[in-house]
Amino acid sequence: MSRPTRGRLARYGFAEGEGGVRAADLLGADGLGLWQADEQEPTDRSAADLLAALSRAADPDLALRQLHRMVETERRTAADDAIGSELLAALAADPGLRRRLVAVLGASAALGDHLVANPGQWTVLRTAPDGLAPTADGRLDLALAGRLTTATAPVAVLRHAYRLALLRIAAADLTGGRGLEQVMAALSALADATLAAAYEIAVGELPAGTPRPRLAVVAMGKCGGDELNYVSDVDVIFVAATDEDLPAATTVAARLIHVCGLVAWPVDAALRPEGNRGPLVRTLASHLAYYQRWARTWEFQALLKARPAAGDLALAGEWIDALAPLVWRASERPEAVSDVRAMRRRIIDNIPPKELDREIKRGPGGLRDIEFAVQLLQLVHGRGDESLRVPGTVPALRALVAGGYVGRADGEALLRGYRFLRGVEHRLQLQALRRTHTVPTEPAALRWLATALGYAAIPGRSAVESFRADWVAHATEVRRLHAKLLYRPLLESVARVPADGLRLTPEAARHRLEVLGFADPAGALRHLQALTGGVSRTAAIQRTLLPVLLSEFADAPEPDRGLLNYRQVSDKLGSTPWYLRLLRDSGPVARRLARVLSSSRYAADLLAREPEALRLLAEENELTPRPREVLCDGFAAAAARHAEPVEATRAVRALRRRELVRIACADVLSRAGGLAPRPERGVPAGPLADVTRVGTGLSYVTDATLSAALRAVRAAQPELPGLRFAVIGVGRLGGYESNYLSDADVLFVYDPPAGTAESTASAAAHAIAEELRRLLGAPAPDPALGVDADLRPEGRQGPLVRSLAAYAQYYARWSRVWEAQALLRARFVCGDADLGTEFEQMVDPVRYPADGLTREQVVEIRRIKARVENERLPRGADPATHTKLGRGGLADVEWAVQLLQLRHAGAYPQLRGTRTLDALAAARDAKLVDPADAVAMTAGWTLAAQVRNALMLVRGRAGDQLPRHGVELAGVVRLLGADDPGEFLDDYLRTARRSRAAMQRVLDAGV
């Protein structure tokens, strides 16, 4: 086969090399006749459709080989080629059949072998004449099975009926026709039907004249919970009505077990009283006596999933009802909770070490973790809440969430983990219809599994890597939540034990911390010892507080950082009388502090510099951003208490730091829920998590900082009588859109006093501006505020300060369209208010041109934007997720809005504002932009701004790139109140795409 042919077939997913040669042979004229080697393309449209279906299979080569074997088998068993051509013709005519059959052949070698060995059985996957897919509800069709087999024995008929039903279930599962819960229910229903049929076969074989016994078959385990997988023992308990029924009932039960083993799977009755040592069948009275006197906790735990399955269903119901009071009193026994935990530990201890990290059922973070946590909560809380008395894991977990016993986020995380792990288990078992719960290590097997689960390669990441990342994420989350739900009392004990006690069992304590998600359990233990060691009152209060704090740290993407930050704050304030008392006695403070320290490096760093600022966490009104007037007055008063500008500015910067703590803590806590500060006068209404509220609050803090520092500078400078000086905010400061690490973008303007030489006035104004910038940006314990004047005329090449007349002359003669664009967000910040007003009035004709823009100016704006995108996006940045300069991000929306303002604000005064979203809303109301586009751009700008702020809070440093994976993405997602990082990332990309398209339409409309 030529290399081009291999390449073309490789596009369909067929293996290259020897595998590619094999695919070409099977597809060619001597095989299925679907591929023209000379033309290097399918023979016709139906062949192309079939090839496309094969390419979507979990293993295209396996699907092709099995299909070829089916066709060859049918040809050999026929007098001519009619049967083979009938199968291919059916695949061409029935898209549903094609999709279902190919999916089965590519995902299950065992079912493929079955179809090869049983020609004609593929017809059960045909689409019905009414267009419906074949039923996949687990029902047996014994009549159909009887027609498809030459065997007349009932066991053979039942075996064929079982395989046909399993085939339909698998086809629906693999093609999305059934969700996981529906598949599990269908498999459990199929088990019930098989048990019932085997029961009737066994009863029919009793010697003539033997009375039919009253025998109930009770489903247990996964079958009882309606969550059976493809290959599993079916757990049952047999119950006879009376002693007289026992002999015949035992014969029937033994034969039922034998028949089911021949047909489908082993029947396991080991959950019966005394296990395999006890009698196979007991009467209802005997069962009741055993459970009343001898049963252990795990046996009651197993009864949670009991339900009638076959035989005498009424008797099974009586048995369940009789035992129910014992089940729901089991947790009252002193050893009950410890028994459940001990059983879970024994299960893990019995896993071979080489399989521990690959076990998705029994291993840490596996299905058993979820099941044991759910079942313990059922046993404890089901005594008084009958809504929890349901057999299945998923229904029980939903009931626990609905009843408030498990948090919604935790419940959803467990559900996601359960669905993921069961999905992996199903695909593993379906491949060879073999019982397995272990993820393979072979590269080829891993690639097959990832593909079967729907993973595909993306740039920079293979399908296997994506699968592994999700597996690790789900297992970690399940492990953490399992510990949170099952081991919280143990964690409380670890936190309360003095240091000497902790050192007695370091391995056990380290394991529990690791389960919670601590990356460095040994380091975490050292922190706990330092905080709780000794017999002092401080250590005693810490031992009371730490259980609450540890649970909060465990919910964060980096629990170790939260504990470390808490240790640092405690080291600084541990001896301060009010510190621990505040945490102990003010209910919300401890949890708020833990949430802040574990969620935000930015806030944690600020608190480490000023731990006393955590007093702000005590009252919600302390976490409300202050109005501009209040801030300006307070900052000015602090500066006025110092004669030297350096000391005055230091005091101002300390106040700024405190306000940054206030806003950052409120932002983190309001995003996390449970905190909704009441707005004060002058502060925009709405939750603090609203990014416009955060931007406004931060801009007010910057205004107050500049205002107070300017007063201190002018008070110390040699005064030039009559010199007027003002600071004009531009950029994000001018638009009230500052973020946590924003510089202050400004223009400096002055007006010389009458009769003063221009050079003298210019020098004095320049000295004021330079000193202001120096003092606010100088190294100090408090965060610096960069004062950036690069948006001034001529940029960095132009003078730092200009007079009002010089600005007017420049804008009248030399300004370009981008400078008018920059002025759209210009507003007076501080200094001489009259001069600020005059400046705004002077630039209004420039930024709001009466005649709008010429076509050439619009083209220039588009050209500049394109250049900015190409040149300013950092090297290696992902344009899809860069919040500032990326597609659909902040810059896209701002340029679109500013273009609308430049074109129309001269005629529409309502567009004359510095806030991006306000101007966009005004343009929408004036019908200057499509409402749908306005919605898309508003959503894009808002989400990008929220993510940008969250990135800064999480990282503690500037950054505009939203990562696609890792702890920083998890931190951002958690901070923004979402649950699933993957879903959040998808939502961001979708929102950004819509925003980008809307922006493009606005820019295109101006040309």
Side-chain angles (χ1 to χ4, degrees):
M1 183 184 64
S2 66
R3 184 173 299 276
T5 299
R6 290 201 300 270
R8 291 294 301 276
L9 289 177
R11 296 178 188 176
Y12 287 97
F14 299 113
E16 296 192 79
E18 292 300 321
V21 173
R22 179 63 173 161
D25 293 339
L26 298 180
L27 290 168
D30 294 333
L32 297 175
L34 301 176
W35 184 261
Q36 301 179 89
D38 53 344
E39 300 291 336
Q40 298 182 20
E41 63 182 17
T43 54
D44 53 29
R45 179 53 185 265
S46 63
D49 291 340
L50 183 52
L51 281 168
L54 289 166
S55 73
R56 291 188 291 271
D59 187 340
D61 290 287
L62 173 63
L64 174 59
R65 290 195 302 271
Q66 299 288 51
L67 178 61
H68 182 266
R69 291 176 62 204
M70 289 177 63
V71 172
E72 288 299 306
T73 299
E74 294 190 359
R75 285 174 177 168
R76 286 197 303 270
T77 57
D80 51 33
D81 289 346
I83 294 182
S85 60
E86 177 189 349
L87 171 55
L88 294 177
L91 292 173
D94 186 346
L97 169 66
R98 182 169 64 243
R99 186 173 63 254
R100 288 185 284 272
L101 179 60
V102 170
V104 170
L105 295 179
S108 178
L111 287 177
D113 290 343
H114 174 81
L115 288 170
V116 171
N118 295 273
Q121 289 198 7
W122 56 267
T123 57
V124 301
L125 299 181
R126 276 178 161 164
T127 305
D130 57 5
L132 297 176
T135 57
D137 53 8
R139 289 180 294 181
L140 289 169
D141 192 334
L142 297 173
L144 175 62
R147 292 196 303 271
L148 291 175
T149 180
T150 58
T152 56
V155 173
V157 173
L158 180 57
R159 183 186 304 114
H160 279 276
Y162 175 84
R163 275 299 172 97
L164 292 175
L166 187 67
L167 179 63
R168 289 192 292 265
I169 293 171
D173 179 12
L174 292 166
T175 57
R178 291 287 187 276
L180 174 67
E181 292 174 48
Q182 293 172 304
V183 171
M184 293 190 301
L187 290 169
S188 301
L190 177 58
D192 285 2
T194 305
L195 288 169
Y199 182 94
E200 293 303 325
I201 291 173
V203 170
E205 293 176 354
L206 287 172
T210 302
R212 183 184 182 99
R214 286 194 67 194
L215 173 65
V217 183
V218 180
M220 304 286 287
K222 288 190 291 292
C223 185
D226 280 326
E227 50 197 21
L228 199 62
N229 47 30
Y230 281 100
V231 184
S232 173
D233 293 352
V234 171
D235 297 310
V236 301
I237 289 180
F238 296 104
V239 185
T242 65
D243 290 336
E244 290 74 20
D245 290 309
L246 281 176
T250 302
T251 300
V252 170
R255 178 57 177 161
L256 178 149
I257 291 173
H258 181 68
V259 169
C260 287
L262 296 173
V263 167
W265 20 249
V267 171
D268 190 345
L271 291 178
R272 66 186 185 269
E274 298 180 82
N276 291 328
R277 296 188 303 274
L280 181 62
V281 183
R282 287 178 184 256
T283 63
L284 189 155
S286 175
H287 275 103
L288 188 58
Y290 175 86
Y291 282 102
Q292 286 173 333
R293 297 188 61 187
W294 308 110
R296 290 169 290 176
T297 303
W298 71 263
E299 293 177 280
F300 291 109
Q301 183 181 351
L303 290 176
L304 289 171
K305 291 188 176 184
R307 65 170 180 80
D312 194 322
L313 300 181
L315 176 60
E318 293 175 29
W319 181 84
I320 292 173
D321 291 342
L323 295 179
L326 301 178
V327 173
W328 301 116
R329 289 201 301 267
S331 63
E332 297 175 359
R333 303 194 298 184
E335 71 279 7
V337 173
S338 60
D339 281 350
V340 174
R341 292 181 183 145
M343 174 63 72
R344 178 64 186 121
R345 288 194 296 271
R346 283 196 295 272
I347 291 174
I348 293 179
D349 292 340
N350 288 329
I351 302 173
K354 64 180 182 180
E355 296 180 5
L356 186 64
D357 294 333
R358 300 188 293 121
E359 252 278 356
I360 59 172
K361 177 182 178 181
R362 299 177 298 160
L367 291 163
R368 283 286 187 262
D369 272 356
I370 301 173
E371 292 166 350
F372 267 68
V374 168
Q375 289 162 16
L376 179 58
L377 292 174
Q378 282 184 279
L379 285 173
V380 172
H381 300 295
R383 293 169 294 168
D385 189 344
E386 294 185 2
S387 69
L388 304 181
R389 301 180 183 182
V390 291
T393 301
V394 171
L397 183 52
R398 289 192 176 123
L400 288 166
V401 172
Y405 304 105
V406 174
R408 288 187 178 89
D410 291 349
E412 286 301 318
L414 286 173
L415 282 173
R416 287 194 299 272
Y418 184 85
R419 293 189 181 107
F420 176 86
L421 294 168
R422 289 306 303 269
V424 174
E425 183 183 50
H426 279 193
R427 292 298 172 266
L428 286 171
Q429 295 184 348
L430 191 58
Q431 185 180 29
L433 289 184
R434 182 174 59 86
R435 182 179 180 181
T436 179
H437 314 99
T438 306
V439 174
T441 56
E442 301 80 11
L446 273 174
R447 284 194 299 271
W448 173 88
L449 177 60
T451 305
L453 289 166
Y455 288 93
I458 58 175
R461 199 178 206 186
S462 68
V464 171
E465 289 171 334
S466 295
F467 160 69
R468 282 189 177 279
D470 284 355
W471 179 24
V472 169
H474 284 296
T476 301
E477 186 72 347
V478 167
R479 188 162 62 245
R480 181 184 68 82
L481 292 174
H482 170 79
K484 179 178 180 179
L485 297 174
L486 203 69
Y487 292 105
R488 188 184 298 273
L490 175 60
L491 293 172
E492 289 181 344
S493 298
V494 171
R496 293 174 185 272
V497 168
D500 291 341
L502 285 174
R503 282 193 290 271
L504 292 176
T505 55
E507 291 301 323
R510 185 181 296 110
H511 175 68
R512 293 307 166 211
L513 290 166
E514 184 176 9
V515 165
L516 273 179
F518 285 84
D520 181 14
L525 277 174
R526 288 193 294 271
H527 294 319
L528 291 177
Q529 289 175 331
L531 290 166
T532 63
V535 295
S536 68
R537 185 174 180 81
T538 296
I541 297 176
Q542 287 283 19
R543 289 194 291 271
T544 302
L545 291 169
L546 275 167
V548 176
L549 299 174
L550 283 176
S551 65
E552 291 291 341
F553 297 150
D555 285 337
E558 294 183 274
D560 303 75
R561 180 166 295 277
L563 182 56
L564 172 62
N565 291 335
Y566 179 71
R567 165 83 184 277
Q568 291 173 342
V569 171
S570 295
D571 285 349
K572 290 188 176 183
L573 289 178
S575 59
T576 305
W578 59 264
Y579 169 60
L580 290 177
R581 185 168 62 245
L582 177 69
L583 296 184
R584 183 195 61 193
D585 299 337
S586 300
V589 175
R591 289 188 178 275
R592 288 174 181 172
L593 177 62
R595 178 58 59 94
V596 169
L597 294 178
S598 62
S599 300
S600 172
R601 294 189 185 188
Y602 177 82
D605 290 343
L606 290 176
L607 281 172
R609 296 178 185 181
E610 187 187 18
E612 290 196 5
L614 67 85
R615 291 178 183 268
L616 298 172
L617 300 177
E619 298 293 336
E620 287 195 5
N621 60 4
E622 287 293 328
L623 292 171
T624 301
R626 297 298 184 247
R628 187 179 189 278
E629 297 79 5
V630 173
L631 290 172
C632 288
D633 291 345
F635 281 36
R641 288 193 287 270
H642 302 276
E644 292 295 324
V646 172
E647 296 300 322
T649 307
R650 186 174 298 158
V652 169
R653 288 175 61 171
L655 284 178
R656 175 173 177 265
R657 176 190 59 200
R658 190 176 185 86
E659 294 307 316
L660 292 177
V661 172
R662 188 193 311 276
I663 295 174
C665 290
D667 197 8
V668 170
L669 295 172
S670 61
R671 290 180 189 278
L675 179 65
R678 295 178 297 276
E680 296 185 4
R681 179 179 58 85
V683 178
L688 190 57
D690 179 359
V691 72
T692 59
R693 184 171 165 80
V694 173
T696 298
L698 292 170
S699 298
Y700 285 173
V701 172
T702 301
D703 285 5
T705 303
L706 290 169
S707 178
L710 177 61
R711 289 189 182 186
V713 169
R714 294 210 65 177
Q717 287 282 337
E719 188 59 45
L720 183 61
L723 176 68
R724 295 193 299 164
F725 186 93
V727 179
I728 307 297
V730 291
R732 302 209 171 278
L733 175 61
Y736 298 99
E737 296 160 358
S738 298
N739 55 49
Y740 290 103
L741 298 176
S742 287
D743 288 339
D745 292 317
V746 301
L747 302 176
F748 295 113
V749 58
Y750 72 94
D751 186 46
T756 302
E758 180 66 31
S759 59
T760 302
S762 175
H766 190 275
I768 293 171
E770 284 287 13
E771 184 67 356
L772 179 67
R773 297 175 70 192
R774 185 186 70 82
L775 290 174
L776 290 177
D782 300 306
L785 174 63
V787 180
D788 189 341
D790 288 350
L791 290 177
R792 64 188 183 268
E794 300 176 271
R796 294 180 180 178
Q797 286 71 43
L800 179 63
V801 184
R802 289 178 186 255
S803 67
L804 183 65
Y807 274 111
Q809 183 181 33
Y810 178 88
Y811 288 128
R813 299 182 60 183
W814 294 295
S815 72
R816 289 172 289 178
V817 66
W818 72 264
E819 293 175 295
Q821 185 180 352
L823 290 173
L824 287 169
R825 292 199 284 191
R827 66 173 178 86
F828 168 73
V829 169
C830 63
D832 191 289
D834 291 337
L835 179 59
T837 300
E838 292 169 23
F839 181 91
E840 291 178 347
Q841 293 172 348
M842 180 268 294
V843 299
D844 277 352
V846 180
R847 57 182 172 176
Y848 310 136
D851 298 327
L853 296 177
T854 65
R855 184 179 184 279
E856 289 72 21
Q857 288 175 314
V858 174
V859 170
E860 175 67 3
I861 289 175
R862 288 163 54 94
R863 185 189 65 77
I864 295 173
K865 185 180 186 309
R867 193 183 72 188
V868 168
E869 283 188 21
N870 292 331
E871 297 178 1
R872 294 186 59 190
L873 190 69
R875 177 175 296 181
D878 183 353
T881 54
H882 196 275
T883 59
K884 183 178 179 181
L885 299 175
R887 294 190 288 267
L890 297 172
D892 269 1
V893 177
E894 289 162 4
W895 280 70
V897 171
Q898 289 160 15
L899 177 61
L900 289 169
Q901 289 179 289
L902 289 170
R903 293 182 61 204
H904 302 292
Y908 294 86
Q910 61 268 39
L911 268 65
R912 300 176 186 178
T914 63
R915 299 175 186 264
T916 299
L917 295 187
D918 287 354
L920 180 56
R924 177 204 61 207
D925 294 342
K927 301 187 176 2
L928 300 174
V929 63
D930 185 275
D933 286 344
V935 169
M937 287 191 289
T938 298
W941 189 94
T942 301
L943 183 56
Q946 287 177 331
V947 169
R948 194 179 194 217
N949 276 354
L951 280 168
M952 293 181 182
L953 286 170
V954 170
R955 292 171 170 169
R957 65 183 189 277
D960 299 306
Q961 185 69 62
L962 175 64
R964 288 185 176 265
H965 53 81
V967 294
E968 287 187 348
L969 173 62
V972 168
V973 171
R974 178 177 183 262
L975 198 59
L976 294 179
D979 294 321
D980 188 325
E983 290 179 2
F984 177 85
L985 192 58
D986 289 343
D987 182 65
Y988 182 92
L989 294 173
R990 182 168 50 250
T991 302
R993 284 195 300 270
R994 292 170 179 168
S995 176
R996 173 77 170 191
M999 175 278 297
Q1000 198 63 56
R1001 284 189 287 271
V1002 171
L1003 263 62
D1004 290 343
V1007 180

